[in-house]
């Protein structure tokens, strides 16, 4: 399958764009002389001419471990593995285990600080409709996240001025 066929099989435009970016980054790492126009040829060459894909992926992981966020690198490597699998080139169980141990751990870091209006706007700019509703309800009501998550629709009462009362 061509690179365009693989990317085109993704459901949403955002997923197709991310998939294209991740595979482009990997292929340009493997073939530094390639251009965006010759990327399809580079992908075909990688799949057909190279018999061992694992060392290339491992080298990519080692190079980008300090350049990319852990979650981004993990997603990129997963995308590369899916692309290989799509083209009937699968890594062995041992190779996947080595990759898993080489990839940086994804650790959530929380910072306690009071959110400012610009920070809330930034969060809202990167949120979908459900998250926007969640954040705006928290910010305007003073509720804790756990409290809002436990609210049922039957608990809410609407007043005359489009306000909702949540006991």
């Amino acid at each position: 399958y061509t690179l365009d066929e693989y990317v085109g099989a993704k459901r949403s435009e955002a997923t197709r764009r991310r998939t294209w970016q991740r595979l482009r980054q990997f292929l340009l790492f493997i073939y530094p002389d390639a251009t965006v126009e010759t990327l399809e040829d580079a992908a075909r060459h990688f799949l057909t001419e190279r018999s061992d894909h694992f060392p290339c992926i491992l080298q990519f992981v080692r190079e980008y471990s300090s350049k990319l966020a852990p979650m981004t690198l993990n997603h990129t490597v997963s995308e590369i593995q899916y692309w290989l699998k799509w083209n009937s080139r699968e890594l062995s169980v041992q190779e996947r285990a080595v990759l898993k141990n080489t990839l940086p751990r994804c650790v959530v870091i929380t910072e306690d600080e009071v959110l400012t209006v610009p920070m809330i706007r930034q969060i809202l700019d990167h949120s979908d409709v459900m998250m926007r509703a969640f954040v705006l309800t928290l910010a305007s009501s003073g509720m804790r996240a756990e409290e809002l998550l436990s609210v049922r629709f039957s608990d809410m009462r609407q007043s005359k001025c489009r306000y909702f009362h949540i006991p």
Side-chain angles (χ1 to χ4, degrees):
Y1 294 98
T2 66
L3 201 56
D4 288 332
E5 288 173 333
Y6 174 73
V7 172
K10 301 298 181 177
R11 290 185 183 163
S12 72
E13 180 59 35
T15 305
R16 286 190 290 272
R17 188 173 49 253
R18 272 193 310 273
T19 300
W20 174 252
Q21 290 169 347
R22 290 172 179 158
L23 291 175
R24 181 184 68 203
Q25 184 178 30
F26 173 68
L27 289 169
L28 290 176
F29 173 77
I30 300 301
Y31 301 105
D33 296 334
T35 63
V36 175
E37 293 79 25
T38 63
L39 211 55
E40 193 68 57
D41 293 332
R44 194 175 311 108
H45 184 268
F46 182 76
L47 291 171
T48 57
E49 302 298 323
R50 290 185 180 260
S51 60
D52 195 10
H53 303 102
F54 173 70
C56 297
I57 299 172
L58 191 60
Q59 183 181 5
F60 176 80
V61 167
R62 288 183 176 146
E63 177 71 26
Y64 279 88
S65 287
S66 60
K67 296 177 183 177
L68 294 176
M71 193 74 110
T72 303
L73 186 59
N74 278 286
H75 287 303
T76 302
V77 171
S78 292
E79 197 64 63
I80 295 165
Q81 289 182 40
Y82 283 127
W83 174 61
L84 289 173
K85 191 173 185 179
W86 177 275
N87 287 285
S88 303
R89 313 277 195 294
E90 226 174 322
L91 299 179
S92 70
V93 174
Q94 293 86 2
E95 291 170 337
R96 288 194 308 263
V98 169
L99 274 178
K100 183 179 178 184
N101 289 329
T102 306
L103 284 166
R105 301 281 186 249
C106 298
V107 179
V108 177
I109 300 171
T110 58
E111 296 177 9
D112 291 334
E113 63 181 289
V114 176
L115 291 176
T116 62
V117 172
M119 292 167 86
I120 293 173
R121 284 190 180 127
Q122 188 176 12
I123 292 169
L124 294 175
D125 287 342
H126 294 87
S127 301
D128 62 355
V129 174
M130 293 292 283
M131 185 62 159
R132 288 177 62 89
F134 188 77
V135 170
L136 288 171
T137 304
L138 291 176
S140 63
S141 68
M143 295 174 74
R144 292 187 176 99
E146 301 85 30
E147 294 172 330
L148 183 56
L149 289 172
S150 67
V151 171
R152 287 178 286 224
F153 192 73
S154 60
D155 296 337
M156 299 185 334
R157 306 284 182 259
Q158 187 174 5
S159 67
K160 296 177 184 177
C161 300
R162 295 187 350 192
Y163 287 103
F164 285 92
H165 175 72
I166 304 172

